[in-house]
Structure formats: C-alpha cells, structure tokens
Amino acid sequence: MSINEISANKSFEGWHKQFTHSSSVLNCEMRFAVYLPPQMEQGKKVPVLYWLSGLTCTDENFMQKAGAHRMAAELGMMIVAPDTSPRGDDVADDDGYDLGKGAGFYVNATQEPWSKHYQMYDYVTRELPQIIEGNFSVSDKKAIAGHSMGGHGALMIALRNPEMFVSASAFSPIVNPMNCPWGQKAFTAYLGDDKDEWQQYDSCYLLQQAEQKTPMLISQGQADQFLVEQLKTEALEAIAHEKSAPVTIERHDGYDHSYYFIASFIEQHLKFHAEYLS
Amino acid sequence: MSINEISANKSFEGWHKQFTHSSSVLNCEMRFAVYLPPQMEQGKKVPVLYWLSGLTCTDENFMQKAGAHRMAAELGMMIVAPDTSPRGDDVADDDGYDLGKGAGFYVNATQEPWSKHYQMYDYVTRELPQIIEGNFSVSDKKAIAGHSMGGHGALMIALRNPEMFVSASAFSPIVNPMNCPWGQKAFTAYLGDDKDEWQQYDSCYLLQQAEQKTPMLISQGQADQFLVEQLKTEALEAIAHEKSAPVTIERHDGYDHSYYFIASFIEQHLKFHAEYLS
C-alpha cells in the first residue's frame, strides 16, 4: 500500500501530485494523480471524487485540461485520477488506440493475453480506494465521474456499487458498450463471447435491471462526433425515463467531445457531487 | 491577410479556434489560436488580449491548460495566442529546446541562419494584430500577457509600444534576458554580439530608460526552479521601485513554473486587463 510521490505542483492553494505504486491487482507499477484541496492542510478530512478518463488518456489529461482545481479547492474536494489501463513493457497491448494500453474499459479481463494485467474494475473499486484511504486524510464519502470510456466506467461502477458512491456523473459517456463498435471490440477481446459477462459492464443493462437510487448527471455535447455511433445517450435516456431513475441528462448545443466541453461544465459537475458528498 | 480555420471547439458558450495563414513577415505558414467570447456572436466588438507563450510551446498550451476561457467569456475578452517561433521544414533550428523552433524570443533576428524567418517581434506587434483586426470584430483596445519567455515578450513589447497596449502582465517572466543564460544564448544567436541590439529587447534596460506609464502586473512563484538563474525578478523590481513605475509584482509561496501556477492566477490577470480594456 506504499506510494511514491513523483511530482507536486501547488495549484489554487492546494496541491496537484502524482504517485506511483506497485499494484497487486494489475500486476504492474501504476501512476495516479490527485488534487489535494487546501482544506486538507488544515487537517480537515475531505470527500473524494474519483475521475475516470477516456481512451488514450493517462492520469494527466484531466488534471491539466479540465480546469477542475479551482472549484475542488473551493468545495474542499479531493480528486483522484487513475490511469486508463495497466502499463509497462510486459503488459499486453494492441496497435489500435481503442484496445490495450490506454483502453482498459474498466473491466476485469477474462481472456488471454489480457487477463494477467487488465483488471481495471477491481483496481478502481477496490485497490485504489484502499490506497487513497490508507495514505490521505479523507472522509468515507466517495463520488465518481468520468469522460467517454471513463464516463462508461463511472456510471457502470456506480450502478454496481450503490453503497460505495453517493453520486455519479459523466461527460459524453459510452452508455451502451454492448451495442457500439468501441465496446464490442473491447469486450470481445477482454471478455470473450459470453454476453452474460458483457452485461455486467453495460450501464443500459444495469440500469434496466436494478432500482437505481444513486443520483446521476450526464452532460452530452450535441456536436460530439461520436454521439450517434459510439455514445448512444438516447438508449440510457429511454431506460431512465421508463424506470423514473434519478438520472439528469443535459444536452448542450455545439459542444464536441473535447476537454473544452468538460472544462465548460466541470463546475456544475463538481457542485452536483458536493451536494451529496457533504 | 486571409486565414484558414483548421479547428473549432465550443468553450464556455464561445469558441476556441485555430487558424493557419501565410506570414509575409516570417516567410512561412503559421498557426495561431483564438478564444472568441460569446459576446462576439451577439455582434459586440470586444477588446483583445495577446498571450505569448514560453519555451517549447505552440498556440495550444495556454488554450488547453490555463483555464482562461471561463473568465474571458465572462469579461467579453478575445484572446489571441500565437506560436512561439516560425515553423516549417525549411526554417532554421537548433537541437536545444531554448533556441530555434519553439524559442523565437520575440526578437527580430539579424544573424544567419536565423534572420530569414525569425522576425517574431514584427510578427507579434505588426502582422498578427493586422490579421486579427482584419478578420474579427474587435475593438481597438489591446493588452498583452505571457509566461516565461512569453512574459519577457509581453513586458518588452509593452514597454516599446506604450500607445499600442493599454496594460501588460506576465507570469514568471524572463525580465533581464541580457543577464541570464537563456537570454544570452538566444540573443547571441539571433542578434550577434552587439549589446545595443540586445538592449532593445531587455525589459530591465527598457524600464530604466523611459518613463513607463503602462500598468503592469507580474506574478512570480517562489518555488519556481528558474527564478534565481533565469528570471531575476528582483532586477526589474529594483528598477520599478527606483522609478516609481506602475508595476505590481506579486510573489506566491510554493508555486512553481508550471501551468498550474498560471491557472491559479489567470482570473486575476484577466480582471486586471479588463480594467484597462473596458
């Protein structure tokens, strides 16, 4: 459970830091980033927002581009950004940007050559929270958010762990990976052909099954180039409507899939989580 | 004067856009980025802040990492971010990160092999403003800001063009390039050994010479790894004090040279400029 600080930048009177650690779940060395709000230096136990990034990202994209530190500092919220896959020279990979390193899809792989390292579901829901709670002065309140593949991860993990996360939010999430090219490619590789395996990682399926009480906020840009083929927001929207689930979906004209969209609405997302984390 | 739009992202109800154009001053194709605040779509002529970036940067670093769009949208301020040097396969370069491409130092080179393309002073003070004013609905009010090498550029250009820019600000600027390794290396290459040439690009020298009326704000992190050897804030501070110049220098404990520092105080800088631009 020991972690190694490799960088520290003061930011909005708090700290952005990166750590490496040996992951027993992923069987490799991992890096993650945190934002530590100034309230932590004053000895206050703060709640934690886990942020899951999208395809090709590392822990760095969100911290550098989302402009989230300002509001996290104001709200007194720690942010934890893990990497998007296991890493290292002996970790299986693929030439595509949407499979292998940078594309873990937050599942526990069952298939060769992926299963040895690609256990991102367990990493995010079990090992990483233990590390955070063992090394930082945090409260037991947790929320989860993400973008695109990470939006899929955040909603899916919240749906499967209603006692663990008080709220979930997503920008441009892949809500129905079983029925889009990105999800089908990744699930086939990591999970094989067993659709029962696939379902447990599909937010539409999970929302259909259970009574969902975790409040969720989804922001979707209407000029997002992946909206129709990959994201399929309307599929989750229909199920949420049918089940009267506490899911708010906001569509924004003109916004695309980029971090400029995330930056434009991150304040709203952080305030949404703060309502449940406080 | 024609420009070619190559990307557009909606951001805080305005637009981040990138353009390319053929520069007659630099003799190459250049790229620049703009933030267009939402007030422009309502037909309002807005003032312009020119942002000059530091070593190794392109037009992208500030737009992606500074978190400036939020406040620019609120204040109704256009931001223009040029590249930091001429670009292209036939442009002279150097192996060092601090000379050649990405390191134009905002001077007009007089020496071979640099003089054909490295005319960044004229580009920023003459050609680029003409392009902006010819292609966007802007008012005639301009301010200038920058970081590190770009902080040097912003202060030096404001000192030499008091009628052109209503205010200037800088994060972690190189205030005395004649007396630091970065500046000496670049000035020797671009300008030769003639110290009279060097002086016209040195903010300390320029501030010493003229009565300066342009209000200036400088933010400097005290944990900046370049502070002592390269930035030499205290040299400008002493001259400003001696001359009772309108230069505010704020030192911030714990902050380093990174964009996390810029993001933490960009709101203050934009509000500082808005006071003079309105």
Side-chain angles (χ1 to χ4, degrees):
Chain A
M1 299 267 288
S2 74
I3 59 176
N4 179 35
E5 182 179 313
I6 58 167
S7 80
N9 313 95
K10 196 167 181 181
S11 181
F12 288 92
E13 298 299 301
W15 290 90
H16 166 258
K17 294 187 177 189
Q18 290 176 298
F19 296 89
T20 55
H21 71 103
S22 173
S23 166
S24 59
V25 165
L26 301 176
N27 289 301
C28 63
E29 181 169 283
M30 291 295 284
R31 190 178 74 192
F32 65 88
V34 300
Y35 179 69
L36 306 174
Q39 292 83 351
M40 292 180 84
E41 292 199 48
Q42 297 145 22
K44 188 161 180 275
K45 282 182 185 286
V46 299
V48 183
L49 175 69
Y50 288 82
W51 173 270
L52 306 183
S53 288
L55 288 166
T56 75
C57 288
T58 68
D59 65 293
E60 293 188 332
N61 306 63
F62 179 79
M63 291 295 177
Q64 294 179 351
K65 296 182 174 179
H69 296 182
R70 181 182 63 87
M71 193 47 55
E74 187 173 321
L75 297 169
M77 186 186 293
M78 179 173 170
I79 303 177
V80 177
D83 206 338
T84 55
S85 75
R87 299 282 178 178
D89 291 343
D90 66 335
V91 169
D93 200 4
D94 183 90
D95 287 343
Y97 73 95
D98 52 1
L99 188 66
K101 293 181 193 174
F105 269 87
Y106 306 104
V107 304
N108 290 335
T110 58
Q111 305 296 302
E112 294 307 310
W114 310 105
S115 59
K116 180 179 176 193
H117 297 290
Y118 286 77
Q119 303 291 323
M120 288 296 289
Y121 180 84
D122 280 354
Y123 178 67
V124 169
T125 59
R126 197 158 52 78
E127 189 177 32
L128 188 59
Q130 283 172 8
I131 286 169
I132 298 302
E133 283 152 28
N135 286 281
F136 299 92
S137 177
V138 294
S139 76
D140 58 357
K141 291 282 187 68
K142 289 184 273 295
I144 192 163
H147 173 233
S148 194
M149 175 183 76
H152 140 70
L155 300 178
M156 174 270 289
I157 285 171
L159 286 163
R160 287 178 60 170
N161 298 274
E163 307 303 315
M164 188 170 174
F165 297 100
V166 298
S167 52
S169 78
F171 290 87
S172 330
I174 304 168
V175 299
N176 194 191
M178 292 182 71
N179 289 313
C180 78
W182 276 341
Q184 288 165 345
K185 177 177 176 178
F187 285 11
T188 301
Y190 296 141
L191 305 172
D193 295 326
D194 181 357
K195 295 289 159 67
D196 291 346
E197 274 288 312
W198 291 28
Q199 287 174 349
Q200 64 179 314
Y201 298 112
D202 187 286
S203 291
C204 280
Y205 176 83
L206 294 166
L207 185 61
Q208 187 73 65
Q209 298 312 301
E211 192 195 351
Q212 185 249 135
K213 290 178 175 162
T214 310
M216 292 184 169
L217 171 63
I218 296 173
S219 295
Q220 178 59 52
Q222 292 294 83
D224 187 323
Q225 66 267 43
F226 300 114
L227 176 54
V228 174
E229 188 184 11
Q230 304 281 9
L231 307 181
K232 300 186 182 295
T233 316
E234 71 284 358
L236 192 79
E237 201 162 29
I239 299 167
H241 183 74
E242 177 198 324
K243 309 245 322 173
S244 300
V247 180
T248 302
I249 299 179
E250 297 191 352
R251 292 168 179 269
H252 298 281
D253 278 347
Y255 286 92
D256 63 20
H257 200 68
S258 74
Y259 262 92
Y260 293 110
F261 174 48
I262 299 174
S264 297
F265 296 96
I266 192 69
E267 175 173 336
Q268 181 198 4
H269 278 240
L270 295 188
K271 285 178 172 171
F272 166 79
H273 290 293
E275 203 178 307
Y276 303 100
L277 287 168
S278 61
Chain B
M1 298 267 289
S2 74
I3 58 175
N4 177 37
E5 182 179 313
I6 59 167
S7 80
N9 314 95
K10 195 167 181 181
S11 181
F12 288 93
E13 298 300 301
W15 289 91
H16 165 259
K17 295 187 176 189
Q18 289 176 299
F19 296 89
T20 55
H21 70 104
S22 173
S23 167
S24 57
V25 165
L26 301 175
N27 289 303
C28 63
E29 180 169 283
M30 290 295 285
R31 190 177 75 192
F32 66 88
V34 300
Y35 178 70
L36 306 173
Q39 292 83 352
M40 292 181 83
E41 291 200 47
Q42 298 146 21
K44 187 161 182 274
K45 282 182 184 288
V46 299
V48 183
L49 175 69
Y50 288 82
W51 173 270
L52 305 183
S53 288
L55 288 167
T56 77
C57 288
T58 68
D59 64 293
E60 294 188 330
N61 305 64
F62 178 78
M63 291 295 178
Q64 294 179 351
K65 296 182 174 179
H69 295 183
R70 181 181 63 86
M71 193 48 54
E74 187 173 320
L75 297 170
M77 185 185 292
M78 179 172 171
I79 303 176
V80 177
D83 206 338
T84 55
S85 75
R87 300 282 180 180
D89 290 345
D90 66 335
V91 169
D93 200 5
D94 183 90
D95 287 343
Y97 72 96
D98 51 1
L99 187 65
K101 292 181 193 173
F105 270 87
Y106 306 102
V107 304
N108 289 335
T110 58
Q111 305 296 303
E112 294 308 311
W114 310 104
S115 59
K116 180 180 177 193
H117 297 290
Y118 285 77
Q119 303 292 323
M120 288 297 289
Y121 180 83
D122 279 353
Y123 178 68
V124 169
T125 58
R126 196 157 54 77
E127 187 177 35
L128 188 59
Q130 283 172 9
I131 285 169
I132 297 303
E133 284 152 29
N135 285 279
F136 299 92
S137 177
V138 294
S139 76
D140 59 357
K141 290 280 187 70
K142 289 185 273 295
I144 192 162
H147 173 232
S148 195
M149 175 183 76
H152 139 71
L155 300 178
M156 174 270 290
I157 285 172
L159 287 163
R160 287 178 59 171
N161 299 274
E163 307 304 315
M164 186 170 175
F165 297 100
V166 299
S167 52
S169 79
F171 291 88
S172 330
I174 304 169
V175 298
N176 194 191
M178 292 182 72
N179 289 313
C180 78
W182 277 339
Q184 288 165 345
K185 178 177 175 180
F187 285 11
T188 302
Y190 297 141
L191 305 172
D193 295 327
D194 180 358
K195 294 290 158 66
D196 290 346
E197 274 288 313
W198 292 28
Q199 287 174 350
Q200 62 180 316
Y201 298 112
D202 187 286
S203 292
C204 280
Y205 176 83
L206 294 166
L207 185 62
Q208 186 74 64
Q209 297 314 300
E211 193 194 347
Q212 185 249 136
K213 289 178 176 164
T214 310
M216 292 185 169
L217 171 64
I218 296 173
S219 295
Q220 179 58 54
Q222 292 294 83
D224 187 323
Q225 66 267 42
F226 301 114
L227 176 55
V228 174
E229 189 185 10
Q230 304 281 11
L231 306 181
K232 300 185 181 296
T233 316
E234 71 286 356
L236 193 79
E237 200 163 30
I239 300 167
H241 183 75
E242 177 198 325
K243 310 245 322 173
S244 300
V247 180
T248 302
I249 299 178
E250 297 191 352
R251 293 168 178 269
H252 297 281
D253 278 346
Y255 287 90
D256 62 21
H257 201 69
S258 73
Y259 263 92
Y260 293 111
F261 174 47
I262 298 173
S264 298
F265 295 96
I266 192 69
E267 175 172 336
Q268 182 198 3
H269 279 239
L270 295 188
K271 286 179 171 171
F272 166 79
H273 291 293
E275 201 178 309
Y276 303 99
L277 287 168
S278 61

